[in-house]
Amino acid sequence: MTRPLEGRVAFVAGASRGIGATIAEALAGAGAAVAVAARSEVEGKLPGTIGAVAQRITDAGGRALPVRCDVTSEESVEDAVARTVAEFGGIDILVANAGVLWMGPVETTPLRRWQLCLDVNTTGVFLVTRAVIPHVRARGGGSLIAVTTTGVTMTDLGANAYWVSKAATERLYLGLANDLKADNIAVNCLSPSRVVLTEGWLVGGGGVEIPPEMIEPPEAMGAAAVLLAQQDAGGITGTIQRSEALAAE
Ligand code: NAP
């Protein structure tokens, strides 16, 4: 098995379950040491903890560090990044995956839901990205990946807090790719091509029935993240990628 990320360090925000957990395990399988970052240290309403994901990685022969991180808190993010650098010596790869879903129509969206989407999906990406940039720059290059959604472009389906928050993140990352070109840092967005039936989707997806042909296995996002994680500014950068389309290229 090839290990293209041997010697690299990845910070995965939102890695206690779902797509983030799959990406963390895929990056570790490709050789990276992985900081498994999220809030859940003990089982709560939803299954999955940072400790359990880190344990799965170490059981499979990889390197992982569970780090508590609330992406909405500047202090928590700074602390998690500092702990990762102290343990692994630097950071080469960021996957800003932490996200919350709210697909309700604008008229019936409570202000706290609107704010939570922006706090986690937009400000959270800003905070983790800002915290890792100096460390990635210090390595002479690396790769930043924000997890977004195909819903951003589906304006014919209307508007909601979730799509708006992800649209802002795409704008953030597309511009940042330009800012960080001279630092040899690739900056891309990645989303599933179809729907991944994660815990978050099942709770927040509003009971929408997904036809079987629209269901994507979580491993597609893992493989796509491994590919994007290998990029620097000389490779794929400043793009919005879809997991299965990227694999097919
Ligand atoms: P999920 O099962 O709900 O997992 C979400 C992850 O985000 C968890 O690890 C959660 O960990 C973390 N998180 C939430 N709030 C956080 C906070 N304040 N600080 C740190 N971590 C936080 O969701 P998912 O379906 O895997 O989605 C992952 C990403 O993919 C999201 O950005 C989502 O928008 C995107 N996406 C998913 C789909 C899909 O089909 N599932 C489609 C398009 C895009 P804790 O609760 O432990 O903090």
Side-chain angles (χ1 to χ4, degrees), residues 135-163:
H135 301 290
V136 180
R137 180 183 289 126
R139 305 279 262 199
S143 178
L144 312 181
I145 303 161
V147 176
T148 58
T149 174
T150 53
V152 169
T153 57
M154 296 176 179
T155 49
D156 52 321
L157 296 184
N160 57 53
Y162 176 67
W163 290 339

Side-chain angles (χ1 to χ4, degrees), residues 82-173:
R83 284 193 54 207
T84 302
V85 172
E87 177 74 15
F88 293 137
I91 296 176
D92 306 275
I93 299 153
L94 168 68
V95 183
N97 166 80
V100 292
L101 194 60
W102 179 263
M103 307 277 267
V106 168
E107 278 182 80
T108 54
T109 295
L111 178 59
R112 66 183 171 81
R113 285 287 174 187
W114 172 266
Q115 283 174 332
L116 185 65
C117 276
L118 293 175
D119 284 352
V120 177
N121 300 346
T122 309
T123 308
V125 175
F126 157 71
L127 286 175
V128 291
T129 303
R130 192 185 64 175
V132 304
I133 285 172
H135 301 290
V136 180
R137 180 183 289 126
R139 305 279 262 199
S143 178
L144 312 181
I145 303 161
V147 176
T148 58
T149 174
T150 53
V152 169
T153 57
M154 296 176 179
T155 49
D156 52 321
L157 296 184
N160 57 53
Y162 176 67
W163 290 339
V164 169
S165 64
K166 294 289 189 180
T169 292
E170 290 193 348
R171 176 60 184 84
L172 171 70
Y173 261 46

Side-chain angles (χ1 to χ4, degrees), residues 14-20 38-40 69-72 97-100 120 147-149 162 166 192 194-196 198-201:
S16 56
R17 68 183 70 86
I19 290 170
R39 295 166 304 171
S40 300
C69 178
D70 179 347
V71 298
T72 67
N97 166 80
V100 292
V120 177
V147 176
T148 58
T149 174
Y162 176 67
K166 294 289 189 180
R194 299 179 287 164
V195 176
V196 186
T198 60
E199 292 86 349
W201 169 264

Side-chain angles (χ1 to χ4, degrees), residues 226-246:
V226 167
L227 206 155
L228 286 183
Q230 295 170 56
Q231 307 301 314
D232 57 28
I236 301 170
T237 190
T239 69
I240 295 169
Q241 299 287 342
R242 310 296 181 212
S243 53
E244 292 173 316
L246 182 63

